[in-house]
Every structure is written in structure tokens, then in C-alpha cells.
């Protein structure tokens, strides 16, 4: 895990970062309908496949690997990993797990299955210990679809990584659609960057 501090004097985004981080702190969210028809037809497991695709697109772009170091200075990790929720039916609670990202799809899915076997039954919020700093959160609420979703974070304006929430997929006009909400920090991510991420994610899902 390597963290590269931004050279602020040469950063094209410096003015925008100052505006949306300090002057007018601003996070925002968007909700999108992903076409997962091909994924469902392939027989692949939905959750690990989506975790892999999200991680692949997130790791392509510096703006989605941004964070603050201990001194509060912005920078970016060379790689980030998904930290995702799993549900415990018995207690109606959830836990967080994380799986190290690798560009090898089969290796990632195998690591996911191993992490589920090792930690999936552990109670508490952090089922797998030692969550690294270079993670981004993903959750899924498969009990209902939604057309809008946002998080209200009291201290969210210090949090730079993207936050992903998936809902229940459904069929419409012969296609299988999955709602995806993405919350980002405007200091590091504009609408252009968010739309590029979603469009590239859909390209991956199209195969």
C-alpha cells in the first residue's frame, strides 16, 4: 500500500478542492440503473462480480483512490480494496468484510469465497480484523429496489473515498436492472468523473 501526497502547487484541481473542501464543503450522490442482464445470464454470483467490477473501475482513476493522510493532506493510494457488508439473518445485523483487490477475476472471487468462509459468520461490525486504510465501502440492500438513495454523514466532508450502495435487481422490458447509488466528495470528484465511472462500469457489465 503506497500513499502519494498531492503536490498542491502543481495540482490542476487545487482551486476546486479548496472550494468544495473548505469554503463550501460538499458531498453529493447519484442513483443509476445498471443493466446486469448479461451478468445474470452468465450464472456468476452477483455480489462478488459487482465487487470486482466496482473495484476495477475505481482503481482506474485517481479521484476515486483519494484520501487524507494523518496530517489532513490529500493524496491517493496506488490501489484500493472493497470493504463490503454481509447480513446476519439470525440477529438482523450486518458485518463488514474486506477482500484484497486483484485484476485477476478468478483470483478475486476465490479470495472473496475464502474471506466469507473465514469471517462470514463472525458477529460485530468488523467481522474481518485489520481493515486497511485503503478501502472503499460497498453495501447491498437486496430487499427492495430504489430510485434514490443518499447517506447523511455528520463528518462526511472529511471523507474522500466513494461510497456504493446497491439495491434489489428487477426485470424491465426484458432487461435485468440493478439500482446503484454512489456518494462522492465534490472536492475530488465532479459530475464528469462520476458519469465516467458509471459508464465504464456498464461497459464491463456488457462484456
Amino acid at each position: 500500500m503506497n500513499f502519494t501526497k498531492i503536490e498542491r502547487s502543481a495540482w490542476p484541481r487545487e482551486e476546486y478542492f479548496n472550494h468544495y473542501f473548505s469554503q463550501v464543503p460538499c458531498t453529493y450522490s447519484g442513483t443509476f440503473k445498471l443493466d446486469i442482464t448479461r451478468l445474470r445470464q452468465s450464472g456468476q454470483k452477483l455480489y462478488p462480480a459487482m465487487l470486482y467490477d466496482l473495484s476495477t473501475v475505481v482503481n482506474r482513476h485517481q479521484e476515486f483512490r483519494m484520501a487524507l493522510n494523518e496530517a489532513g493532506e490529500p493524496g491517493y493510494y496506488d490501489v484500493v480494496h472493497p470493504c463490503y457488508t454481509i447480513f446476519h439473518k439470525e440477529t438482523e445485523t450486518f458485518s463488514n468484510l474486506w477482500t484484497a483487490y486483484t485484476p485477476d477475476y478468478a483470483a478475486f472471487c476465490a479470495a472473496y469465497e475464502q474471506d466469507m468462509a473465514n469471517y462470514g459468520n463472525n458477529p460485530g461490525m468488523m467481522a474481518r480484523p485489520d481493515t486497511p486504510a485503503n478501502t472503499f465501502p460497498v453495501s447491498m440492500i437486496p430487499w427492495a429496489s430504489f430510485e434514490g438513495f443518499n447517506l447523511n454523514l455528520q463528518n462526511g466532508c472529511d471523507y474522500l473515498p466513494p461510497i456504493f450502495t446497491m439495491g434489489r435487481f428487477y426485470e424491465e422490458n426484458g432487461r435485468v436492472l440493478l439500482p446503484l447509488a454512489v456518494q462522492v466528495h465534490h472536492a475530488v470528484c465532479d459530475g464528469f468523473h462520476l458519469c465516467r465511472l458509471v459508464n465504464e462500469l456498464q461497459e464491463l457489465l456488457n462484456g
Side-chain angles (χ1 to χ4, degrees), residues 39-67:
L39 175 59
R40 294 298 295 165
Q41 291 173 342
S42 70
Q44 301 173 69
K45 288 186 176 181
L46 177 62
Y47 206 18
M50 289 302 304
L51 290 173
Y52 172 83
D53 287 346
L54 285 169
S55 300
T56 296
V57 177
V58 164
N59 275 290
R60 287 178 183 173
H61 302 290
Q62 177 181 303
E63 62 266 16
F64 297 112
R65 292 180 277 116
M66 296 285 295

Side-chain angles (χ1 to χ4, degrees), residues 54 58 64 136-139 162-166 180-183 197:
L54 285 169
V58 164
F64 297 112
F136 65 95
V138 183
S139 61
I163 304 172
F164 298 95
T165 306
M166 292 176 281
L180 173 71
V182 190
Q183 185 147 323
L197 177 140

Side-chain angles (χ1 to χ4, degrees), residues 17 20-22 24-29 66-68 137 150-163 183-189:
F17 181 85
Y20 288 117
F21 188 82
S22 301
V24 186
C26 177
T27 65
Y28 68 96
S29 60
M66 296 285 295
L68 302 176
N150 68 284
L151 298 167
N152 301 298
L153 306 177
Q154 183 176 5
N155 299 313
C157 285
D158 289 336
Y159 191 78
L160 301 184
I163 304 172
Q183 185 147 323
V184 293
H185 202 304
H186 209 341
V188 296
C189 177

